[in-house]
Amino acid sequence: MCTALTPTKVGSLAADLAALLDHDGYLLLRGAVPEAWRDLLHAAFEAGVVGDEQWAAPKAPGWRHALVDLNPTVRETCRLPPLLSVAGHMLEGPFFLAQVEGREPLPDGGHQPLHRDGAGLRAVSAMVFLDDYGPANGATRVVPRPLDQGDPDETLSQTLAGEAGDILVFDADLLHGATRNVSGARRRSLLLNFLPERDRAAEDAYRAVRNVRMDNGEVFAP
C-alpha cells in the first residue's frame, strides 16, 4: 500500500479533554458525527452486512458484521477532526487508519468478557455509534484507567450510554467489552483503529485476514 508523501496535519486536543483522556484512558465525543451523515452511515452499514462465511477470519457469534471500508461517508467519518485530534494526542507521532468495519449485537447477543484490544500496544480504538445506546441494547462498558487493577473485574466496569453520533475513543490497552442486547433494539456501530506509522508494514501483512480493502495510505501527523 502506497504511503501518502505529505502527512495530513491533525489539530491539537483541548487541554481539558486531554487531561480527561490521560486520566481515564478513554474519551466520549458527544454528537461528533454530523446529523446529515447518519442516514448515509445507516445505509452503508445495511449494504455492507455479510455472512460469517465472507470473512477471512471467524467472527464471534451473536453479532451482525458489515464490510464498510470502501464507503466514502464511512471514510470521512474516520477522518473527523475531533477523532483525529484524540488519536494524535494518544499516539504522539505519525499514524494511519488501519481498519474500519461495522458491528451490531443481535437480540440477546453481543456480550463480551472484559478484554484489551491490544495489551501493551500503542494503538487507538474507536467506536462510532450509529444508534442510541445504553445498558438495554448492548452498550460498551469500560474500566477507567485509575480503577484498572490489571485483571478483569466486572465490579469496576461502567456501562456507557448516549445517542447516535457519539464516538468513543480509547486506548487499545483499556479494559472494555460489550454488554448483552437484552432489549433487541438496534445498536449499530463502526469499529476502527489507528496505529503508529512505524507499524504499517506489520499491519499490512494481515490485510487479507482482516478483510481490509480500502487504501489506507494516508498518514496523519499531530
Side-chain angles (χ1 to χ4, degrees), residues 59-211:
K59 292 293 186 182
W63 291 83
R64 181 179 292 112
H65 298 274
L67 286 167
V68 296
D69 64 347
L70 297 180
N71 181 272
T73 308
V74 170
R75 296 294 302 276
E76 285 306 302
T77 300
C78 296
R79 299 177 77 259
L80 282 167
L83 172 57
L84 294 178
S85 293
V86 177
H89 177 82
M90 296 174 73
L91 295 174
E92 301 179 314
F95 64 95
F96 70 103
L97 173 66
Q99 181 182 12
V100 56
E101 65 180 58
R103 295 194 317 179
E104 178 183 20
L106 297 171
D108 203 38
H111 179 269
Q112 298 171 324
L114 288 172
H115 65 281
R116 305 177 196 274
D117 285 351
L121 297 180
R122 197 165 186 82
V124 174
S125 297
M127 292 184 63
V128 180
F129 293 102
L130 305 184
D131 299 293
D132 295 350
Y133 58 98
N137 69 338
T140 301
R141 66 199 191 284
V142 299
V143 178
R145 186 173 283 152
L147 301 181
D148 187 353
Q149 302 299 310
D151 295 326
D153 185 342
E154 289 289 354
T155 65
L156 302 176
S157 67
Q158 302 174 5
T159 302
L160 304 176
E163 300 179 348
D166 293 352
I167 302 179
L168 169 66
V169 196
F170 56 100
D171 187 331
D173 196 32
L174 187 80
L175 277 171
H176 70 286
T179 56
R180 190 174 308 281
N181 185 359
V182 294
S183 73
R186 303 299 302 267
R187 208 279 278 158
R188 292 162 290 188
S189 66
L190 305 178
L191 175 66
L192 59 113
N193 54 57
F194 297 105
L195 295 175
E197 176 62 18
R198 63 176 180 271
D199 293 340
R200 178 184 293 276
E203 186 67 17
D204 280 353
Y206 293 94
R207 282 176 62 88
V209 174
R210 297 177 179 274
N211 283 63

